[in-house]
């Protein structure tokens, strides 16, 4: 037995080196539908009953469920010598597909796409570029052609990205009073989709157990939050043609009159008229030069007194935290051409493009906001 210091060091090392196993437990339980089966059951279930409903092995299911208990994703009670499992508040709220705050689709994307790119992290660090070629055999000269390399992959990405806004969309849109901006353009705004469309296009990659999904994950898109918070505003979502076409086909919201779509390339095409331009999780996809190019175009399109709202996960001033944002930044390395930035780095980019009155507002969540004026 080593000293307490050595034991602590080894335990930390163990925690880090097995971190991927923890992620896989979470991913597998989501993908199999463990949390959905338990949410639907009228009472706690034994592992044999869960295995039967999932069509999975009794041995594997028992091991998975017990590990989920240690991770506080499930709780267990022994009655009459039999272990009975239930969701915890965490899994019931964020992992059950039908929950309005579900992060299920983001977890599937992390499991099926992000995880495979991270297998090549060392190579990404060596080369300083994303790993689509190695992970999926696709060239990434055109970043979003690689990200949207099939219709199923595009839908998976779109659904995944919406999930966080069901939890954080309101605080992000409320961080500044946006009511002085009646006409808003969400550049690279993604588009909300009908949940019912997804399973058809992602066969084999979603849960084997698929309960009917009453459009939960679709409710968090930023444009929707915006029109609900600011009754006088209209939002144009501007995105590349493939995304807009899919959204037009599947757009599920009754607010349709106040949310419109325009297709185009924000690096090349004229930008829609607006009092405020939103760039949410867009700048982090791109290197400084491309950000400068895009911000200069937004500045040209912006009216005097008009605004720009940047929504991103912000690094601390010295770039050494928070850990989540540092990990996101490495994720930008393996999956995009960009990085996460400090408030000062965004401020410098905005200033160089001509914006003034740059203010930063933290939300207490993963994503913060920066508002600037022309
Ligand atoms: C990381 S996603 C962010 C989506 C959304 N703003 C959010 O925060 O959920 C980047 C978005 O930029 C869009 N995009 C990428 N290149 C674009 C271009 N050249 N013109 C317009 N939109 C683009 C993508 O289709 C995608 O919707």
């Amino acid at each position: 037995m080593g000293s307490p210091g050595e034991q602590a060091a080894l335990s930390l090392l163990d925690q880090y080196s097995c971190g991927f196993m923890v992620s896989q437990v979470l991913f597998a339980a989501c993908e199999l539908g463990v949390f959905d089966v338990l949410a639907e059951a009228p009472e706690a279930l034994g592992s044999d009953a869960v295995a039967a409903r999932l069509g999975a092995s009794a041995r594997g299911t028992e091991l998975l469920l017990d590990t989920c208990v240690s991770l506080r994703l499930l709780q267990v009670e022994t009655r009459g010598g039999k272990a009975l499992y239930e969701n915890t508040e965490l899994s019931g709220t964020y992992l059950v597909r039908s929950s309005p705050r579900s992060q299920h689709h983001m977890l599937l994307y992390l499991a099926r796409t992000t995880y495979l790119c991270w297998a090549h992290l060392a190579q990404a660090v060596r080369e300083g570029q994303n790993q689509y070629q190695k992970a999926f055999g696709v060239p990434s000269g055109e970043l979003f052609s690689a990200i949207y390399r099939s219709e199923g992959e595009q839908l998976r990405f779109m659904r995944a990205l919406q999930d966080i806004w069901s939890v954080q969309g309101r605080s992000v849109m409320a961080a500044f009073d946006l009511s002085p901006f009646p006409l808003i353009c969400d550049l690279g705004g993604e588009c909300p989709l009908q949940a019912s469309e997804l399973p058809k296009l992602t066969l084999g990659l979603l849960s084997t157990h698929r309960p009917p999904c009453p459009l939960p994950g679709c409710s968090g898109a930023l444009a929707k939050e915006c029109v609900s918070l600011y009754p006088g505003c209209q939002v144009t979502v501007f995105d590349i043609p493939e995304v807009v076409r899919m959204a037009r086909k599947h757009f599920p919201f009754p607010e349709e009159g106040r949310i419109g779509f325009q297709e185009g390339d924000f690096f090349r095409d004229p930008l829609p008229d607006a009092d405020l331009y939103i760039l949410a999780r867009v700048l982090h996809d791109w290197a400084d030069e491309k950000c400068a190019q895009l911000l200069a175009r937004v500045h040209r399109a912006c009216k005097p007194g008009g605004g720009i709202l940047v929504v991103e996960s912000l690094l601390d001033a010295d770039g050494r935290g928070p850990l989540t944002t540092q990990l996101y930044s490495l994720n930008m390395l393996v999956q995009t051409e960009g990085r996460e930035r400090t408030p000062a780095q965004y401020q410098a980019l905005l200033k160089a493009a001509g914006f003034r009155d740059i203010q930063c507002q933290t939300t207490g969540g993963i994503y913060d906001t920066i508002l600037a004026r022309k």
Side-chain angles (χ1 to χ4, degrees):
M1 205 54 151
S3 66
E6 188 183 35
Q7 281 174 41
L10 287 174
S11 148
L12 192 62
L13 202 57
D14 188 53
Q15 212 179 307
Y16 291 168
S17 50
C18 294
F20 78 95
M21 295 183 197
V22 174
S23 301
Q24 287 294 1
V25 168
L26 176 61
F27 296 159
C30 273
E31 211 173 305
L32 289 162
V34 167
F35 307 112
D36 305 315
V37 157
L38 290 172
E40 280 171 27
E43 54 189 18
L45 294 178
S47 72
D48 47 353
V50 175
R53 287 170 204 219
L54 296 178
S57 72
R59 176 171 172 250
T61 304
E62 188 183 13
L63 295 176
L64 184 69
L65 296 188
D66 281 333
T67 312
C68 284
V69 172
S70 292
L71 293 173
R72 287 184 254 162
L73 301 174
L74 295 180
Q75 55 201 21
V76 67
E77 200 187 309
T78 306
R79 271 186 244 145
K82 192 174 165 67
L84 297 170
Y85 300 85
E86 279 178 308
N87 285 323
T88 56
E89 200 182 326
L90 185 157
S91 52
T93 307
Y94 299 112
L95 302 177
V96 171
R97 278 189 78 197
S98 56
S99 161
R101 292 161 83 78
S102 179
Q103 301 298 301
H104 178 88
H105 293 289
M106 179 43 95
L107 287 165
L108 290 182
Y109 186 76
L110 290 172
R112 290 295 176 179
T113 300
T114 305
Y115 188 79
L116 304 190
C117 291
W118 275 75
H120 306 282
L121 176 62
Q123 192 61 15
V125 171
R126 265 185 218 111
E127 296 171 359
Q129 63 180 30
N130 68 56
Q131 295 296 305
Y132 288 104
Q133 185 69 54
K134 281 199 195 59
F136 304 108
V138 293
S140 59
E142 285 293 326
L143 178 61
F144 275 84
S145 302
I147 293 177
Y148 299 151
R149 58 196 168 279
S150 66
E151 200 180 27
E153 193 58 34
Q154 181 183 339
L155 276 163
R156 252 193 307 283
F157 178 84
M158 290 170 71
R159 284 303 309 280
L161 263 80
Q162 290 174 52
D163 275 355
I164 190 66
W165 301 134
S166 68
V167 181
Q168 253 218 282
R170 203 152 189 94
S171 61
V172 158
M173 285 294 104
F176 287 100
D177 175 15
L178 303 180
S179 57
F181 305 106
L183 200 56
I184 295 181
C185 175
D186 190 4
L187 291 167
E190 277 282 350
C191 302
L193 294 163
Q194 246 166 349
S196 56
E197 291 304 321
L198 197 61
K200 289 185 221 153
L201 290 148
T202 53
L203 287 176
L205 292 176
L206 285 175
S207 319
T208 43
H209 176 86
R210 291 190 203 119
C213 177
L215 299 183
C218 297
S219 60
L222 276 191
K224 195 191 175 207
E225 288 298 342
C226 211
V227 294
S228 97
L229 258 173
Y230 303 104
C233 92
Q234 290 215 324
V235 182
T236 304
V237 176
F238 182 94
D239 212 299
I240 60 175
E242 297 92 307
V243 169
V244 172
R245 270 180 226 140
M246 213 173 266
R248 283 212 174 104
K249 208 160 115 196
H250 306 307
F251 188 54
F253 297 146
E255 298 87 344
E256 195 158 10
R258 293 180 54 210
I259 300 178
F261 300 111
Q262 188 170 323
E263 57 186 61
D265 178 340
F266 51 41
F267 288 117
R268 292 199 185 93
D269 295 321
L271 303 181
D273 267 353
D275 303 307
L276 177 80
Y277 293 89
I278 298 178
L279 285 172
R281 296 191 290 183
V282 168
L283 295 177
H284 77 166
D285 289 337
W286 307 104
D288 284 355
E289 310 77 69
K290 287 240 182 101
C291 290
Q293 210 181 314
L294 178 55
L295 289 173
R297 300 197 87 234
V298 176
H299 188 264
R300 272 200 296 281
C302 202
K303 302 165 187 162
I308 181 167
L309 184 78
V310 173
V311 179
E312 293 286 358
S313 184
L314 297 177
L315 283 169
D316 293 342
D318 63 4
R320 305 230 163 72
L323 177 62
T324 303
T325 310
Q326 290 177 302
L327 293 173
Y328 286 5
S329 208
L330 281 172
N331 193 49
M332 293 299 111
L333 175 72
V334 298
Q335 286 207 267
T336 72
E337 299 177 10
R339 55 175 306 158
E340 305 299 348
R341 296 178 173 88
T342 65
Q345 287 169 327
Y346 282 115
Q347 201 163 4
L349 284 166
L350 286 162
K351 213 169 156 196
F355 289 101
R356 61 178 174 85
D357 294 344
I358 304 165
Q359 301 166 63
C360 183
Q361 191 70 54
T362 52
T363 65
I366 295 168
Y367 292 101
D368 295 314
T369 53
I370 299 173
L371 180 68
R373 298 262 186 174
K374 177 164 174 176

